[in-house]
Amino acid sequence: MAESLDGHRSHVRRLELFGTLGAVSRCRDFTAEALADRGWIPAETDEVGERVGDALLLVSEVVGNACLHAGGPEELVLRHERGRLRVEVADAGPEHPRTRVGRSASQPGGHGLMVLDRLAGDWGSEDKGSGAVGKVVWLEVSLPSRPPWNRRRAAPS
């Protein structure tokens, strides 16, 4: 567990990875287990279930991209704080992802970043820093807000 800048607790999980064999399924399973531990699974509503599906698909996309374009992921980091999941995938590839302009949706391949754009609340990439070679691709997914009539109430003091 770590503390965020605003003093709230965030839960952090790390998975070291080597090579590409089985990396996507290992990362999906690791993420599903983390989401279950944080109460996202089993989903309370269909909307939450869809968001969980989105998160698992997005993990598959970024890990798959690391396998295809960067020799495989080196580490998956999951940060969960206040109903928001941040996924970070580190790899040794120097090139940052970039969307392809003017690409036809009917052409095979190259649609992973479109999926990120549509399903992630936010995403991007940054250099590893500190002289390390490679990058970290990150994305964020939030749970949908509960309607006011379905929110947990604070216990009376």
Side-chain angles (χ1 to χ4, degrees):
M1 206 173 333
E3 192 164 309
S4 67
L5 295 175
D6 63 1
H8 288 88
R9 294 270 181 212
S10 66
H11 300 269
V12 179
R13 292 190 183 201
R14 296 177 184 278
L15 176 64
E16 285 190 58
L17 299 155
F18 305 95
T20 59
L21 187 61
V24 173
S25 59
R26 282 188 64 207
C27 290
R28 277 182 67 95
D29 292 347
F30 183 80
T31 303
E33 183 179 312
L35 292 176
D37 288 349
R38 299 304 313 147
W40 288 38
I41 301 173
E44 294 177 353
T45 66
D46 289 344
E47 192 176 13
V48 172
E50 289 172 8
R51 199 59 60 92
V52 168
D54 292 347
L56 296 175
L57 174 61
L58 292 169
V59 166
S60 296
E61 285 293 336
V62 294
V63 172
N65 282 348
C67 290
L68 287 172
H69 304 292
E74 297 176 335
E75 182 179 42
L76 170 68
V77 178
L78 304 174
R79 300 177 193 279
H80 183 271
E81 180 181 5
R82 294 164 141 201
R84 181 178 57 97
L85 176 70
R86 180 178 170 104
V87 176
E88 301 172 0
V89 177
D91 64 51
E95 281 193 42
H96 291 265
R98 54 186 168 80
T99 54
R100 297 179 186 171
V101 180
R103 181 154 184 97
S104 170
S106 64
Q107 291 181 330
H111 301 292
L113 297 182
M114 288 188 336
V115 171
L116 276 172
D117 280 338
R118 302 232 176 180
L119 298 181
D122 198 8
W123 74 274
S125 65
E126 52 200 39
D127 291 331
K128 281 185 182 175
S130 304
V133 175
K135 67 184 170 300
V136 175
V137 178
W138 58 268
L139 65 96
E140 294 178 347
V141 178
S142 297
L143 276 176
S145 297
R146 294 175 188 223
W149 59 86
N150 198 18
R151 292 189 182 142
R152 293 186 186 125
R153 299 184 189 273
S157 26

